[in-house]
Amino acid sequence: MGGTFNLDYFILLGSLLLIIGVLTTKFSTRIGVPALVLFILVGMIAGSDGLGLIYFDNAKLAQLIGILALVIILFEGGLQTKWPTVKRVAIPSLSLATLGVIITTVVVAGAAKLVLDVSWLEALLFGAIVGSTDAAAVFAVLKGQNIKARMGATLEAESGTNDPMAVFLTLSFIQLILADEPNYLLLGGLFLWQMGIGFLIGLGFGRLATYAINRINLDSSGLYPVFALAFALLTYSVTALIGASGLLAVYVAALVIGNSEITYRQSIFRFNEGFAWMMQILMFVILGLLIFPSQLFNDFILLKGLLISVILIVVARPVAVFISTIGMKYSWREKIFLSWAGLRGAVPIVLATFPMIAGLENSQMFFNVVFAVVLTSALVQGSSISYMAEKLKLTGPPKASSPHSLELVSIGKANAEIIEFQVNENHIINGKRVMEIEFPKKVLINAVIRDAELITPRGRTKIRSGDILYILTSRESKPALTKLLNLKVEETTD
């Protein structure tokens, strides 16, 4: 009975924490505080220093949950990333994700050496832990914001690709600290292996997943999102097992899948969006449980964290951005914004568990100080990104959001699907009547949403900019339909 009671108790507690986590996302938008901060606070309040509901100090379990959550969050972020937009900022994003992380690591290491009074190798380890921006934090904060596409794409691509660099540096410095005779040359080859092989495996598994999703006709549409997620986990595990960067592989695979024509696209996207939110809540609550608030006020930990945060935000990140983007046609306003939007989140906290598991001398102090740095970054930078974008005149048009929903019955056996398409003023079909559009065979417009109202389309119905079309198409006609819908006015006049 005791074991059953404990199990039921934890299931009840877990469900309540999830419900509270979901509700805090609504609350966070009203007070302008990133949801991740509130998730962490929920964990801290539920922990032994708070209400005492859960005692949790298992760094290994926290690391496992954190890495699993990061895989799912990176996969969802990669699916939502548009390659045409990212392609224009690929070089600066990669520069920020590599050179930028190294510069940040070195500058923060100087601050850690002075503030924490540790050795240079330990200081560099600390710098590596907080050196990367966080994909979970950046994706969550930028979602729904009307920040210019180029800025958003740069930040998302950077945060999606700089985690591997931070992981590599963190593990490398731990090895150097523990080794009797450090081999620095070996690290260079290891870096090329991790990044190069990680990229290639991600590319390969992304193409394999796309082919499998489109070719295998499953009995239920609900299996396709699970199928896609299974490929994400497979990509990470295979890559990690051969010593390459699994996180980079997952992000690359998601980019390939998300920018390919796949069946049940909306089902796959919506499932992974919801699952990523759940894992984000779970991860931050667990990380909140792992911190003991009473320890933050011992030995001036909070003050040390604040001092390093100031140096990270005001010195290290701007220096890294301005150097990493030299000659890349970013204005000073854009560089200031990129500097300010370098959010820290779950990745540094998860990385801070590695020294604890390795048994390093100052690992507990590092974890507490990293936590203070992340909390400061999320509160100060995360809550003011929109304000900074407005002040620097880097806001774009409001992002369109559909004020409606459409639930579709599986039509997999009929070899057909319904796609959603939003018309803008540059599309060739804009301004044309339905009867004037040369649709491929076996294609039919089922519904038009205009100004939040449903319109039943007829032959004389004129398509307008801003309309959202729901179009029924056979699988064989989908490529031709996609080509027609994406045709722009200037492309027909050249």
Side-chain angles (χ1 to χ4, degrees):
M1 284 294 290
T4 304
F5 173 77
N6 288 336
L7 178 63
D8 293 341
Y9 171 76
F10 281 112
I11 291 174
L12 172 64
L13 208 56
S15 64
L16 289 175
L17 288 175
L18 267 179
I19 290 171
I20 293 169
V22 171
L23 294 177
T24 56
T25 60
K26 186 72 175 177
F27 185 62
S28 69
T29 56
R30 293 187 176 182
I31 63 175
V33 175
L36 66 93
V37 175
L38 298 182
F39 298 156
I40 289 173
L41 290 177
V42 167
M44 291 172 68
I45 291 169
S48 56
D49 272 6
L51 298 177
L53 299 175
I54 304 173
Y55 179 85
F56 183 81
D57 63 352
N58 192 328
K60 264 192 174 176
L61 180 58
Q63 185 186 99
L64 175 64
I65 294 171
I67 290 174
L68 180 61
L70 287 174
V71 169
I72 293 165
I73 290 164
L74 277 172
F75 185 66
E76 192 269 337
L79 288 178
Q80 301 284 356
T81 302
K82 301 290 185 290
W83 174 244
T85 305
V86 170
K87 183 168 63 174
R88 298 198 297 268
V89 297
I91 293 176
S93 296
L94 288 174
S95 179
L96 286 166
T98 51
L99 179 61
V101 172
I102 292 171
I103 294 171
T104 304
T105 297
V106 173
V107 176
V108 172
K113 173 71 176 163
L114 292 173
V115 176
L116 303 180
D117 190 26
V118 292
S119 69
W120 270 112
L121 270 180
E122 288 177 311
L124 286 167
L125 170 61
F126 183 91
I129 290 172
V130 298
S132 73
T133 58
D134 183 61
V138 171
F139 290 153
V141 170
L142 292 184
K143 191 167 289 186
Q145 302 285 358
N146 64 329
I147 293 162
K148 281 190 175 180
R150 187 180 185 225
M151 292 291 93
T154 303
L155 289 168
E156 288 184 1
E158 178 202 1
S159 64
T161 54
N162 68 5
D163 292 347
M165 187 67 179
V167 172
F168 167 76
L169 289 175
T170 299
L171 294 177
S172 297
F173 286 126
I174 289 174
Q175 289 177 9
L176 291 174
I177 291 170
L178 295 175
D180 295 327
E181 296 181 5
N183 189 338
Y184 294 95
L185 291 177
L186 186 62
L187 296 180
L190 186 60
F191 171 76
L192 293 175
W193 170 267
Q194 285 209 354
M195 302 306 162
I197 300 301
F199 176 82
L200 291 175
I201 292 179
L203 201 62
F205 271 101
R207 289 178 177 172
L208 177 63
T210 301
Y211 179 84
I213 290 167
N214 287 331
R215 290 289 179 178
I216 299 175
N217 193 8
L218 301 174
D219 291 335
S220 170
S221 61
L223 291 173
Y224 284 93
V226 179
F227 198 39
L229 182 61
F231 270 102
L233 297 174
L234 180 66
T235 302
Y236 174 82
S237 57
V238 169
T239 311
L241 282 171
I242 63 171
S245 176
L247 294 177
L248 178 61
V250 167
Y251 186 71
V252 171
L255 271 176
V256 174
I257 297 169
N259 287 277
S260 302
E261 288 298 330
I262 54 173
T263 188
Y264 291 105
R265 183 184 191 84
Q266 293 302 320
S267 297
I268 291 171
F269 278 38
R270 295 292 174 263
F271 172 86
N272 280 285
E273 183 180 17
F275 196 39
W277 268 112
M278 188 182 80
M279 291 307 295
Q280 194 173 165
I281 293 170
L282 177 63
M283 174 176 62
F284 284 117
V285 169
I286 289 292
L287 294 177
L289 287 170
L290 195 59
I291 191 71
F292 292 82
S294 59
Q295 295 179 1
L296 288 176
F297 299 96
N298 288 338
D299 302 321
F300 302 102
I301 291 292
L302 191 60
L303 179 60
K304 291 175 181 178
L306 289 174
L307 284 172
I308 294 176
S309 297
V310 171
I311 294 169
L312 172 63
I313 295 170
V314 179
V315 181
R317 173 67 179 178
V319 169
V321 168
F322 275 78
I323 293 177
S324 300
T325 56
I326 289 174
M328 295 183 186
K329 297 181 180 178
Y330 282 89
S331 68
W332 65 269
R333 283 194 181 93
E334 291 173 327
K335 290 183 180 182
I336 290 175
F337 180 74
L338 290 175
S339 301
W340 188 256
L343 292 178
R344 268 61 190 173
V347 172
I349 302 177
V350 172
L351 289 181
T353 63
F354 283 86
M356 295 174 71
I357 293 170
L360 296 190
E361 183 182 353
N362 294 308
S363 59
Q364 187 61 55
M365 178 186 69
F366 275 21
F367 184 86
N368 293 331
V369 176
V370 166
F371 189 87
V373 169
V374 168
L375 214 54
T376 304
S377 173
L379 278 171
V380 176
Q381 294 172 286
S383 59
S384 58
I385 279 184
S386 293
Y387 175 79
M388 288 294 289
E390 288 176 10
K391 287 296 179 184
L392 293 169
K393 299 179 180 178
L394 294 174
T395 53
K399 291 188 177 181
S401 58
S402 302
H404 57 278
S405 62
L406 184 67
E407 297 293 335
L408 303 178
V409 178
S410 171
I411 50 177
K413 296 295 182 183
N415 200 29
E417 61 182 288
I418 293 177
I419 66 171
E420 178 186 295
F421 181 78
Q422 183 161 12
V423 182
N424 67 41
E425 57 186 14
N426 294 322
H427 287 131
I428 192 66
I429 66 173
N430 179 38
K432 288 189 175 182
R433 299 185 187 279
V434 172
M435 64 172 62
E436 298 171 346
I437 303 172
E438 297 181 1
F439 283 114
K441 292 181 179 179
K442 299 181 181 178
V443 171
L444 178 68
I445 298 181
N446 286 55
V448 178
I449 305 294
R450 181 179 298 161
D451 299 327
E453 292 186 3
L454 175 67
I455 296 174
T456 303
R458 305 183 185 278
R460 296 186 61 80
T461 301
K462 184 178 284 190
I463 304 299
R464 298 179 185 172
S465 178
D467 284 355
I468 298 172
L469 313 180
Y470 287 98
I471 308 171
L472 177 65
T473 176
S474 64
R475 298 273 171 81
E476 60 266 25
S477 298
K478 187 177 178 182
L481 173 63
T482 302
K483 185 177 179 181
L484 170 67
L485 293 176
N486 289 311
L487 199 60
K488 304 294 177 65
V489 174
E490 59 268 18
E491 294 174 14
T492 62
T493 58
D494 289 343

